[in-house]
Amino acid sequence: MQRLTDKSCAEFAGLVAAKQPTPGGGGAAALVGSLAAALCSMVGSYTTGKRRYADVESDVARMRGELDDARASLLDLVEADAVAFEPLSVAYGVPREDPTRARTLEEATESATEPPLQVMRQVCHVIELLEEMGQKGSRALLSDVGCGALLARAALEAASLNVFVNTHDATDRAWAARVEAACDEMLACYVPRAQTVAEGVTDHLRGRD
C-alpha cells in the first residue's frame, strides 16, 4: 500500500480535503515540520564547501545529518499519525453498554496521542538547528531559515492541538495532566525561540538590525 508521503502534493492535499479522518491535522503538522527541516538543510547544503564558511564546515555537516534524521522521522510520523487514529475511530464505535468500551477507548486515546507528541519533540530539535543555522549558514539563504522557523512554529502549535484534543476527553486525568504539562513546556520554550529566529531574519532583510 502506498504511503501517504509517497503521494504527490496534489494527491495529499486532496486526501486532507476529503471527507475522511486521515490524513488530518496531525499528519499535516508532521509534514510541515519536515518542510521546516528541509529548508534548514537546504541552507546547509549551500553553505557546505564555501571558503567563507570553512570554519563552520564540521558544524554544518553535523546539522545536516541531524536534519536528515529529523525530516525522515517527521515524514514517518505522517503515516504513524494516520495509523494510530484508526483504533481510536474503532473504539468510538464500541457500544456504550459494552464493559470493555472505556478501557478500549482509553488505550486508543493514549496511542493516538503519541505521534503528535513525537512531532512536537522532533520540531523542537529542528528549531534548535534553525537557530544554529541562522548563525552559521550562508547569509544568502537567511530568508529560508526564517521561513523554516515560521513553519516549525506552526507545526509545533498544530501538533499540540492534536495532543490536546485527545487529553481533553481522557478519563485518566493524571496521564492527561502529565502529557499536557510536557506540551506546555515545549510550547513555552520553543514557540518564542522560533519567533525570535523569524523576527531576526525579518529585521535583517529590512535593514533593521
Side-chain angles (χ1 to χ4, degrees):
M1 184 176 179
Q2 188 182 35
R3 285 164 53 94
L4 290 169
T5 50
D6 289 334
K7 297 183 182 297
S8 70
C9 293
E11 288 172 330
F12 186 89
L15 289 174
V16 173
K19 188 179 180 180
Q20 58 185 45
T22 59
L31 181 60
V32 170
S34 76
L35 292 175
L39 282 169
C40 191
S41 188
M42 181 181 73
V43 178
S45 296
Y46 275 97
T47 304
T48 300
K50 297 290 181 64
R51 185 181 305 173
R52 178 180 175 183
Y53 302 103
D55 59 334
V56 295
E57 183 92 14
S58 61
D59 290 336
V60 172
R62 169 185 50 77
M63 284 188 279
R64 289 178 64 190
E66 292 178 22
L67 287 160
D68 284 347
D69 290 343
R71 177 163 49 89
S73 294
L74 285 161
L75 289 174
D76 286 342
L77 285 165
V78 174
E79 195 74 25
D81 184 76
V83 171
F85 183 81
E86 182 60 30
L88 183 58
S89 179
V90 171
Y92 275 117
V94 175
R96 292 189 178 276
E97 61 273 14
D98 189 322
T100 67
R101 185 179 193 274
R103 186 59 197 160
T104 300
L105 190 56
E106 191 69 19
E107 290 176 352
T109 296
E110 293 185 12
S111 295
T113 305
E114 190 56 32
L117 262 178
Q118 291 185 36
V119 170
M120 293 184 72
R121 297 186 188 109
Q122 288 290 337
V123 170
C124 286
H125 185 47
V126 171
I127 291 170
E128 293 173 347
L129 294 169
L130 283 159
E131 288 175 325
E132 187 176 0
M133 192 67 78
Q135 295 297 317
K136 299 176 180 178
S138 172
R139 305 304 286 173
L141 283 85
L142 196 58
S143 63
D144 294 293
V145 172
C147 288
L150 290 172
L151 291 180
R153 174 182 175 172
L156 183 62
E157 293 183 308
S160 76
L161 295 181
N162 285 272
V163 173
F164 297 145
V165 72
N166 290 321
T167 57
H168 177 265
D169 293 325
T171 56
D172 186 345
R173 299 316 301 164
W175 168 81
R178 289 194 302 271
V179 171
E180 290 177 358
C183 288
D184 288 340
E185 185 176 348
M186 285 187 277
L187 290 168
C189 179
Y190 286 95
V191 168
R193 288 172 68 168
Q195 190 64 27
T196 296
V197 172
E199 289 176 353
V201 171
T202 299
D203 287 344
H204 176 75
L205 295 177
R206 302 195 68 183
R208 296 196 293 247
D209 59 357

